[in-house]
Amino acid sequence: MKFRIAKYASVLVLAFVFIGSNLIGDAIDDLKKKAEQGHAEAQYTLGLAYSIGEEHGVIQDYKEAGKWYRKAAEQGHAEAQCALGFIYHKGQGVIQDYKEAVKWNIKAAEQGQTYSQVRLGNAYLQGQGVAQDDKEAVKWFLKATENRNAEAQYKLGLMYNNGQGVTQDYKEAVKWYRKAAEQGHADAQSNMGFMYFFGHGVTQDYKEAVKWCRKAAEQGDVLAQFSLGFMYSNGVIQDYVQAHGWYNVASANGSKKGAEKRDNVAKRMTPEQIAKAQELAKQYFEKYQPKK
């Protein structure tokens, strides 16, 4: 979770880069004084420092972070409200409480905090801390897309794809998937591949399907890696070496069916092709690991 670096936090960073840890200590002391005097921005920044830890001149302490976030949040500080919603959702330094998370995310979202808007969409979609409500989820995802949030764009694509909270519309799903995919969202890229492969909302195009799945696969998306194996073994662009290689990579990265599909493809290959595919898989595996 990324939060805005407040003006006081930027002072801490500059102190560390240009002068050293002694000045960071002085800056932290000054920050604490301002926070104790009730400065909301200082309180939020101090919470941020405790969340990050030694890099910002204090020992990492999530409980202390939560204390200062709350003080700022209660003064209406939007980023602090967003941060408080995050830590209650994760149970980071506080007892996990989805209702409390929703409460603070609503306050932040109403002040335009995009991350809180996305989290509210997810909360309504999953029924965490609120009654499950697809239409309300769509409302908050749509709000977050006003700031070009890729996760919100992807989630809207899913909603239109599945007809959740909206009338099912594959063309509209593709529109939102594409917006997220062009920002590098791996799941959206993978889904763009499926839409082109099956011709949902777009003219069926195997080359485009492979192109988008490849983008996701190269980010370590295991489903996309498996899907590339399927596309190369079953689509118009038939390439058993690539199919075997991608199934192999998907298997190594945790796909349960990857090894089975790889072995099925191998039955249609020469020993030379299998050797080439194994070398290809080794290269791919080293380069395209799942993101942690």
Side-chain angles (χ1 to χ4, degrees), residues 6 25 32 55 58 61 70 75 95 108 128 232 240 251 258 264 278:
K32 286 180 178 178
E55 181 183 335
V58 294
D61 187 332
R70 178 176 290 278
Q75 294 194 66
I95 296 172
Q128 287 186 332
Y232 277 119
Y240 290 146
S251 174
N264 287 340
Q278 289 172 336

Side-chain angles (χ1 to χ4, degrees), residues 193-209 235-236:
F194 297 143
M195 300 306 266
Y196 273 109
F197 189 84
F198 294 107
H200 288 167
V202 290
T203 302
Q204 190 175 48
D205 188 328
Y206 291 121
K207 287 184 179 180
E208 279 294 299
V236 171

Side-chain angles (χ1 to χ4, degrees), residues 222-240:
V222 178
L223 178 59
Q225 292 169 347
F226 180 89
S227 298
L228 276 179
F230 176 82
M231 289 178 185
Y232 277 119
S233 59
N234 294 282
V236 171
I237 306 172
Q238 194 171 77
D239 187 329
Y240 290 146

